[in-house]
Amino acid sequence: MENVLYKPFFNATREVFQLMLDISNITDKPLCVDGVCYPAGNVDIAIRVIGDMEGMVVYHFPKETSLKIVKIMSGGMEFNEVDEFVASAMGEIANIISGNVMSALSTQDITCDILPPEFIAPETIADASAKYKFVSGMQICSEIGDIDLNILLNVKSGAEKA
Amino acid sequence: MLWKDKYNLGVEQIDAQHRELFRRVSDFLEVLRSSSSWEERVGKVNETLSFMKDYVITHFRDEEAYQIQIGYPEYDAHKQTHDDMVSYVAQFAAEYEQKGYDEKLIQQFAGKLLAWLIHHVAADDQKIGAYAKKKGV
Ligand SMILES: [Fe+2]
Ligand SMILES: [Fe+2]
C-alpha cells in the first residue's frame, strides 16, 4: 500500500511544480513520520481523505518556501509574512496535488474523496500518526526549499485490494 | 507579469480571454497587496474585484460554448469545475459583503483564486486546445 501511494504523490507534486511554478528539478527522499516535530510559523495543511482509504495527508511548507511559491505565482510580487493570502494559496496547492492523486488512484480502482484543506498545528502530525496503519512520508527537495508530505491512512475493510 | 505564453491553447478567442482575465486578476492583486491602509484601498479593491469577477463568468460561459462547438468529450467535468468555482466566488462575495468588507477574508479568497486559476489554465484548459488540435478544428 505504501508504494501504491508514494509514487502518485511524488508524481502529482512534480507535475504541479512544473505546471504552476516552472520548476522541473525536484527529488524525493523518504521521511520518517514518527516523532516528527515542526516548529511553528510555517504552513501545515491537512487534507482529509474519505472513501476506500481514510485519514489525512499533511503538507508541511516551510515559511521561506511558501513565500517563494506565492512570489512565483503572482508574477514576482514580494511577500514577507505567511498571511491569509499565502496560507490559502498553499492550501489550494495541497488541494490540487491531493486531488490529482485521487484521480490517479481511481484508475486503479481505489475510490477516495478529499475534504477542503485545514490548517493544523504541527504537533497534530505526531499525535495522529499512531492512529493509522499506513504511515509514510516523503521530503520533496527543490530549488525553493523542501516540502514534507506525511501520509496517514487506514484502508477500509473490504477495500484492501492494493 | 502573471501571464505566460505557455498558457496559450492555440485557440485565439480563448487565449485572448485568458490574457484579459490574467490582466484583471493582476490589477486586483496589485491593489489588494499594496501597502496603503485598508480604508484607503478598499474601494479600489472592490472595484477591481467586481471587474475581475464579471470577466470570470463571461469567460467560463464562452469557453463552455466553444467546448460544445467542437464536441469536447470532457465538457461535463469541465463545466462542473467552472460551476464549483462560480459558486465558491458567489459564496465568498456574499460573506465578504455581509462582514462589511473584511480584509482577511478577501486575502484568503485571492490566494486560493490565484493558485486555482493558474492550475486550471495551465492544466485543465490546455486539454481543450490539445483536443481541438487533434480534431483539426
Ligand atoms: Fe479558461
Ligand atoms: Fe476552463
Side-chain angles (χ1 to χ4, degrees), chain B residues 14 18 21 59-60 63 78 82 117 120-121 125 128:
Chain B
I14 295 181
H18 280 157
L21 181 58
H59 167 61
F60 283 0
E63 195 182 86
H78 201 114
H82 283 173
L117 189 68
H120 185 70
V121 173
D125 287 350
I128 310 168

Side-chain angles (χ1 to χ4, degrees), chain B residues 90-126:
Chain B
Q91 192 194 322
F92 152 76
E95 194 185 345
Y96 178 60
E97 211 169 304
Q98 187 219 327
K99 284 194 173 158
Y101 308 123
D102 178 58
E103 184 184 0
K104 286 187 170 167
L105 191 65
I106 194 168
Q107 294 288 355
Q108 193 189 336
F109 165 77
K112 176 183 157 116
L113 178 94
L114 177 65
W116 183 91
L117 189 68
I118 290 175
H119 183 260
H120 185 70
V121 173
D124 299 342
D125 287 350
Q126 294 305 311

Side-chain angles (χ1 to χ4, degrees), chain B:
Chain B
M1 182 66 174
L2 266 187
W3 175 258
K4 290 181 192 158
D5 284 339
K6 74 166 186 178
Y7 299 153
N8 278 320
L9 313 184
V11 178
E12 187 38 42
Q13 183 211 6
I14 295 181
D15 289 337
Q17 287 198 349
H18 280 157
R19 282 194 295 272
E20 174 65 17
L21 181 58
F22 274 73
R23 201 158 28 234
R24 294 190 189 199
V25 171
S26 183
D27 290 346
F28 165 61
L29 291 184
E30 203 103 330
V31 196
L32 183 72
R33 299 301 301 179
S34 69
S35 54
S36 54
S37 77
W38 181 241
E39 288 69 32
E40 272 176 296
R41 68 191 201 283
V42 61
K44 188 91 178 112
V45 165
N46 294 349
E47 209 176 285
T48 53
L49 168 72
S50 87
F51 197 55
M52 174 196 72
K53 248 174 39 188
D54 291 348
Y55 203 71
V56 168
I57 310 281
T58 307
H59 167 61
F60 283 0
R61 194 194 54 212
D62 290 351
E63 195 182 86
E64 287 159 15
Y66 177 74
Q67 291 176 42
I68 291 177
Q69 187 198 317
I70 64 166
Y72 185 57
E74 288 176 58
Y75 168 79
D76 287 342
H78 201 114
K79 175 153 189 353
Q80 187 62 55
T81 307
H82 283 173
D83 288 351
D84 290 347
M85 193 58 190
V86 169
S87 61
Y88 168 73
V89 172
Q91 192 194 322
F92 152 76
E95 194 185 345
Y96 178 60
E97 211 169 304
Q98 187 219 327
K99 284 194 173 158
Y101 308 123
D102 178 58
E103 184 184 0
K104 286 187 170 167
L105 191 65
I106 194 168
Q107 294 288 355
Q108 193 189 336
F109 165 77
K112 176 183 157 116
L113 178 94
L114 177 65
W116 183 91
L117 189 68
I118 290 175
H119 183 260
H120 185 70
V121 173
D124 299 342
D125 287 350
Q126 294 305 311
K127 295 181 192 159
I128 310 168
Y131 179 78
K133 212 169 280 170
K134 199 180 80 188
K135 267 196 75 183
V137 285

Side-chain angles (χ1 to χ4, degrees), chain A residues 54-69:
Chain A
E54 306 226 334
M56 61 178 155
V57 181
V58 182
Y59 293 77
H60 171 77
F61 295 95
K63 177 183 170 183
E64 289 309 317
T65 305
S66 308
L67 299 180
K68 283 177 186 159
I69 289 177

Side-chain angles (χ1 to χ4, degrees), chain A residues 139-154:
Chain A
Q139 185 160 62
I140 300 202
C141 312
S142 76
E143 64 194 68
I144 53 164
D146 302 338
I147 294 167
D148 292 359
L149 265 71
N150 295 293
I151 304 165
L152 309 163
L153 294 166
N154 286 325

